[in-house]
């Protein structure tokens, strides 16, 4: 154990108990099972607050993006760059350093928090990631970019880029945020 660092991350959130999950859409007890599954109403009350965002205010066993490691990593983020020198809506320069005792992989995750009042998940949505391999004490610097599509929301029957302050969170999982930044659009 500990000779190879797995570096994998979970693509789902693991709740503490079944009652913490979004209830399944099932036919009413009075409906015959031979009817097609899409022939009964299903109310999707969670809206855009589904996936790991559904668990924002709930304690979980393992958060989205969680993974085990035999080493540790330090993160730093430079101020978010918008405009000249950035060929995207926003560019985030990230420095990652292997601060542990063994070489290993890390999946650096970028979460975007939209300006308040838009009905988007308050803890942000995954908008990028990069898997890096670093030897002990090694560092790597790279740029994560946010495209126009990354910063758009669906509002009033069309896609729009909202105005306001966006927050960028860089972390090892949705609940292990190591660095933050912000930018205006």
């Amino acid at each position: 154990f500990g000779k190879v660092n797995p570096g994998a991350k979970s693509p789902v959130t693991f709740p503490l108990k079944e009652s913490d999950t979004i209830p399944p859409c099932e036919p009413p007890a009075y409906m015959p099972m031979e009817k097609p599954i899409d022939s009964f109403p299903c109310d999707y009350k969670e809206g855009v607050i589904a996936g790991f965002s559904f668990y924002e205010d709930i304690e979980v066993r393992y958060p989205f993006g969680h993974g085990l490691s035999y080493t540790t990593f330090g993160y730093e983020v430079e101020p978010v760059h918008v405009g000249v020198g950035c060929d995207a809506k926003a560019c985030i320069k990230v420095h990652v350093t292997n601060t542990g005792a063994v070489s290993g992989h890390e999946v650096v995750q970028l979460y975007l928090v939209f300006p308040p009042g838009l009905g988007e998940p308050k803890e942000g949505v995954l908008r990028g990631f990069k898997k890096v391999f670093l030897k002990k004490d090694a560092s790597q610097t790279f740029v994560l970019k946010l495209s126009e599509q990354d910063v758009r929301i669906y509002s009033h029957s069309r896609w729009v880029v909202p105005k306001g302050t966006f927050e960028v969170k860089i972390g090892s999982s949705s609940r292990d945020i190591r660095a933050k930044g912000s930018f205006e659009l």
Side-chain angles (χ1 to χ4, degrees):
F1 289 100
K3 292 183 179 182
V4 176
N5 188 50
K9 300 289 184 159
S10 172
V12 297
T13 300
F14 288 88
L16 283 175
K17 52 191 183 297
E18 185 179 354
S19 61
D20 289 341
T21 62
I22 296 172
C25 193
E26 296 177 339
Y30 61 83
M31 182 173 273
M33 290 307 292
E34 56 272 358
K35 282 196 149 200
I37 195 77
D38 60 354
S39 66
F40 65 92
C42 187
D43 191 10
Y44 295 100
K45 295 177 186 173
E46 66 274 5
V48 298
I49 312 299
F52 71 87
S53 299
F54 177 77
Y55 296 98
E56 285 180 345
D57 299 320
I58 301 172
E59 186 180 350
V60 298
R61 185 159 316 279
Y62 301 109
F64 177 86
H66 172 77
L68 300 176
S69 181
Y70 292 116
T71 193
T72 55
F73 297 92
Y75 289 56
E76 291 179 31
V77 174
E78 291 187 9
V80 178
H81 192 70
V82 179
V84 179
C86 174
D87 60 351
K89 278 293 188 184
C91 296
I92 302 94
K93 194 175 221 178
V94 181
H95 306 282
V96 180
T97 303
N98 183 338
T99 57
V102 298
S103 299
H105 287 92
E106 175 66 329
V107 180
V108 178
Q109 301 164 38
L110 183 158
Y111 295 89
L112 180 66
V113 180
F114 287 86
L118 299 172
E120 297 299 309
K122 65 183 179 189
E123 294 300 321
V125 291
L126 180 69
R127 283 296 191 251
F129 63 91
K130 181 167 179 71
K131 187 171 187 176
V132 295
F133 176 80
L134 295 171
K135 293 186 177 190
K136 177 185 176 223
D137 298 322
S139 295
Q140 185 174 345
T141 300
F142 53 89
V143 175
L144 293 171
K145 297 178 180 182
L146 291 168
S147 69
E148 181 166 332
Q149 183 175 342
D150 291 328
V151 298
R152 291 189 308 183
I153 62 168
Y154 197 71
S155 176
H156 298 71
S157 302
R158 63 189 181 102
W159 290 100
V160 297
V161 175
K163 302 289 184 212
T165 302
F166 292 75
E167 183 181 14
V168 172
K169 297 178 178 182
I170 304 294
S172 186
S173 80
S174 63
R175 300 239 177 139
D176 184 4
I177 302 303
R178 310 280 180 91
K180 295 180 180 181
S182 65
F183 64 95
E184 292 275 335
L185 286 182

